[in-house]
Amino acid sequence: MNLDEKIKNAFPEESVYKSPEKYSIFTGWNLPSFVKDWLIKRYTDERGQLDEYGIKKFMADNLPTEQRKKHIKGLLITENKEVKLLARIITTPDIQKGILKFSIPDAGLKMKDCRIPDYIARKHHELRGGEVWGIVTLDYLIPDGNEKGVIELTDFKTFKPYEVNFDYFSLKREEFTLEEWVDLLIRSMEYNPDGFDSFTQKLRFISRLLVFVEPNLNLMELAPKGTGKSYVFSNLSKYGWMISGGTVTRAKLFYDISKESPGLIEQYDFLALDEIETIKFRDENELIGAMKNYLENGKFTVAKYSGSSNCGLIVLGNLPLDENKKPLNKQYFAGLHKFFKDPALLDRFHGFIEGWYLPRMKEEMKITGYGLNVEYFSEILKSMRKIPDFRETTNNMLNIPPNSDTRDAEAIRRISTAYLKLLFPNARTVDDITPEDFKRFCLEPAIEMRGIIKHQISLIDQEFTPELPNITVKLD
């Protein structure tokens, strides 16, 4: 049985056939992958035929098109009709007025014109601040006396078409070899596994998923342009957020004192800082202090506000290579902002991904075949964050010397646990995985990733040594 048949048989409701031809229907639409996959699945029949008319009609009727964008306000005001949309909604609390405001940028609806009534906010915690995709129903409240007219959100259904049963997912892992399972993960990331040179390269590629599945995991990846860094972190999950360039502030990341509202760290599972060499940092001393505390223990304090989160951080940057496709400078962080040359800050990052070993994205890297629906896949990845069994299995598999540096030991534990979740989701106890497999596919990659961080820190500050504790696998 080939891989397409295996995936389709193992995940009949959760898989979808993906191809560049099918996805060309979304040309001109700014939609994340999890919405595209949901639409493809919904409008594909049992023979695999895509109902192009149906999908186009759905998008025209339910998505805020550029043409429809100009008429939504008019419909609400002049005809007093409710408008229903599948859209990206951004909400923020207004402390002074005691209300929740929202905007739908793709529909041209601005924060100052829109609000969420209390009864809706109480029912849907997703609307209390941040960004979420959902089906929204909008109505217009006619101005009364001195009151201004306002667009109100009268109904909301979060975009979550799948209820995830992790036990079902983990049981299906046993129907695949490790090589087939890795190919399934890559297909579900919307890439063609046949475009990779080796199994080792594939494993390095899926390491980008580690922050999706493990709480408070902090990684760095430097790579040449065109290796798909941005796509993975901006398209595969609505539970992550990517900042690409611009200015980063303490208020944006942690807590905005003037608005009395939490920052991105408390709203998402992971935060990607992309194009890190172009990002500017405001109030650097305050920000680096808050970041050090947060990366250390998942907690932070801004003024009188104390917050905590399990959001992981991944820093992404471009790195120039020589003719042998190796970094021009042996100090990888030489071209970055001084922010990321602070040894004490770098030491709080658990691991490093050498992105220059990954292939450039070419046409042959686009998937053609079955993979998991991205929306289902993202829900599965999120569910892994909450299962403590994997951490317990890792702890029971490792021999950690008593004199081990705590940060090194914790980094290796977290990365090993994340690999265990991705590669062996059925390994809930030590009896479910061999010591050899755990060593090769979980521990050794973790040691390598942490070792790069330690080596780079030692090049910056000789007081830091590159040595790691001798952590091994229990063989019994």
Side-chain angles (χ1 to χ4, degrees):
M1 186 184 300
N2 65 30
L3 186 57
D4 278 318
E5 292 173 336
K6 270 197 169 184
I7 295 172
K8 188 177 180 181
N9 290 339
F11 299 101
E13 298 300 322
E14 301 83 9
S15 63
V16 61
Y17 186 85
K18 309 182 184 203
S19 70
E21 292 76 20
K22 276 192 174 183
Y23 286 86
S24 65
I25 196 171
F26 299 112
T27 301
W29 294 82
N30 183 25
L31 296 175
S33 295
F34 53 83
V35 175
K36 293 178 185 177
D37 270 7
W38 176 72
L39 290 171
I40 289 288
K41 181 72 175 180
R42 179 171 177 171
Y43 287 95
T44 299
D45 63 22
E46 294 179 355
R47 298 171 298 166
Q49 297 298 312
L50 181 66
D51 178 6
E52 293 193 10
Y53 172 79
I55 202 169
K56 287 179 179 177
K57 186 176 188 306
F58 178 91
M59 291 192 294
D61 291 344
N62 296 278
L63 295 173
T65 65
E66 193 63 34
Q67 182 177 3
R68 194 181 183 203
K69 179 178 179 178
K70 300 174 182 177
H71 301 296
I72 290 175
K73 290 181 182 178
L75 280 172
L76 288 166
I77 294 172
T78 61
E79 299 188 25
N80 197 27
K81 285 185 178 180
E82 288 187 338
V83 172
K84 185 174 287 189
L85 299 171
L86 171 60
R88 174 176 63 103
I89 178 171
I90 301 171
T91 65
T92 189
D94 186 325
I95 299 298
Q96 293 182 352
K97 295 183 179 179
I99 60 173
L100 280 170
K101 297 179 177 180
F102 74 92
S103 66
I104 304 179
D106 297 329
L109 301 181
K110 297 181 179 179
M111 199 79 68
K112 64 183 179 66
D113 300 321
C114 308
R115 76 181 184 195
I116 301 172
D118 290 343
Y119 73 94
I120 294 291
R122 283 195 295 267
K123 285 171 58 178
H124 302 284
H125 65 86
E126 306 99 323
L127 296 175
R128 295 172 189 171
E131 177 181 300
V132 64
W133 274 83
I135 298 170
V136 298
T137 302
L138 307 175
D139 202 356
Y140 179 68
L141 293 188
I142 301 172
D144 180 20
N146 294 325
E147 289 289 323
K148 296 181 179 179
V150 65
I151 296 171
E152 195 167 71
L153 192 154
T154 58
D155 196 16
F156 177 78
K157 183 178 180 182
T158 187
F159 184 78
K160 190 176 181 181
Y162 287 100
E163 290 298 327
V164 170
N165 182 333
F166 184 78
D167 290 336
Y168 171 83
F169 175 80
S170 63
L171 188 64
K172 292 299 180 180
R173 166 65 180 88
E174 298 172 9
E175 299 180 19
F176 296 80
T177 67
L178 179 60
E179 289 76 12
E180 289 172 338
W181 188 254
V182 169
D183 284 355
L184 169 60
L185 294 178
I186 292 174
R187 285 181 174 214
S188 303
M189 295 170 73
E190 303 202 313
Y191 290 92
N192 176 15
D194 294 336
F196 293 82
D197 296 334
S198 64
F199 187 64
T200 300
Q201 194 178 58
K202 292 178 182 179
L203 290 175
R204 183 170 276 113
F205 183 72
I206 66 168
S207 65
R208 289 174 173 171
L209 294 177
L210 298 176
V211 295
F212 287 68
V213 301
E214 181 66 11
N216 294 109
L217 182 62
N218 309 307
L219 301 177
M220 305 186 80
E221 178 182 349
L222 298 182
K225 294 180 180 180
T227 54
K229 299 187 297 299
S230 303
Y231 186 85
V232 169
F233 296 102
S234 62
N235 280 274
L236 295 187
S237 175
K238 59 179 177 285
Y239 300 113
W241 185 262
M242 186 172 72
I243 298 174
S244 185
T247 300
V248 171
T249 64
R250 186 180 63 174
K252 187 173 185 177
L253 290 188
F254 295 105
Y255 184 75
D256 191 318
I257 298 173
S258 62
K259 296 180 180 178
E260 298 187 18
S261 62
L264 297 171
I265 289 290
E266 287 195 279
Q267 298 176 38
Y268 294 96
D269 286 349
F270 64 86
L271 178 64
L273 299 181
D274 193 21
E275 303 284 349
I276 192 62
E277 62 275 12
T278 68
I279 288 180
K280 297 178 181 178
F281 298 92
R282 189 180 301 162
D283 302 322
E284 294 179 13
N285 292 334
E286 292 181 351
L287 183 55
I288 197 170
M291 190 171 287
K292 283 180 181 179
N293 289 335
Y294 178 74
L295 296 183
E296 184 73 25
N297 54 33
K299 299 177 181 179
F300 63 91
T301 301
V302 177
K304 296 181 180 179
Y305 181 83
S306 295
S308 64
S309 174
N310 65 13
C311 177
L313 184 68
I314 183 159
V315 172
L316 307 169
N318 296 315
L319 191 69
L321 306 181
D322 61 22
E323 64 276 7
N324 298 315
K325 297 185 178 180
K326 296 293 179 64
L328 283 172
N329 194 325
K330 67 177 183 178
Q331 293 192 22
Y332 298 162
F333 308 131
L336 301 187
H337 189 280
K338 63 179 181 179
F339 209 80
F340 292 100
K341 297 175 187 176
D342 182 337
L345 179 67
L346 291 175
D347 198 27
R348 288 162 166 81
F349 281 87
H350 300 115
F352 185 95
I353 301 171
E354 295 176 311
W356 53 90
Y357 289 117
L358 296 175
R360 282 185 61 83
M361 296 300 110
K362 303 175 183 176
E363 287 298 302
E364 65 181 359
M365 298 295 292
K366 294 181 179 179
I367 181 177
T368 299
Y370 277 91
L372 296 178
N373 184 305
V374 169
E375 174 64 14
Y376 173 77
F377 187 49
S378 71
E379 293 294 336
I380 283 291
L381 297 177
K382 180 176 179 62
S383 69
M384 292 182 184
R385 301 174 68 87
K386 303 175 183 178
I387 301 175
D389 304 14
F390 296 103
R391 173 67 178 228
E392 184 178 352
T393 298
T394 296
N395 288 337
N396 291 333
M397 294 290 291
L398 295 179
N399 273 318
I400 300 178
N403 63 345
S404 298
D405 180 272
T406 299
R407 284 182 185 159
D408 291 339
E410 181 59 23
I412 290 170
R413 279 196 200 97
R414 290 194 189 188
I415 298 174
S416 296
T417 302
Y419 271 116
L420 182 66
K421 292 175 180 179
L422 285 176
L423 300 177
F424 305 96
N426 54 331
R428 306 284 281 272
T429 72
V430 294
D431 297 326
D432 299 325
I433 184 172
T434 66
E436 292 78 12
D437 279 349
F438 185 87
K439 177 184 177 183
R440 180 181 175 188
F441 300 110
C442 302
L443 176 59
E444 290 181 354
I447 291 173
E448 179 184 359
M449 292 174 68
R450 177 59 181 173
I452 297 169
I453 290 286
K454 289 297 293 283
H455 177 68
Q456 288 299 313
I457 295 174
S458 71
L459 295 178
I460 296 171
D461 188 339
Q462 294 182 354
E463 291 187 11
F464 287 80
T465 63
E467 285 77 21
L468 290 174
N470 185 28
I471 298 176
T472 58
V473 175
K474 296 176 183 177
L475 297 179
D476 53 351

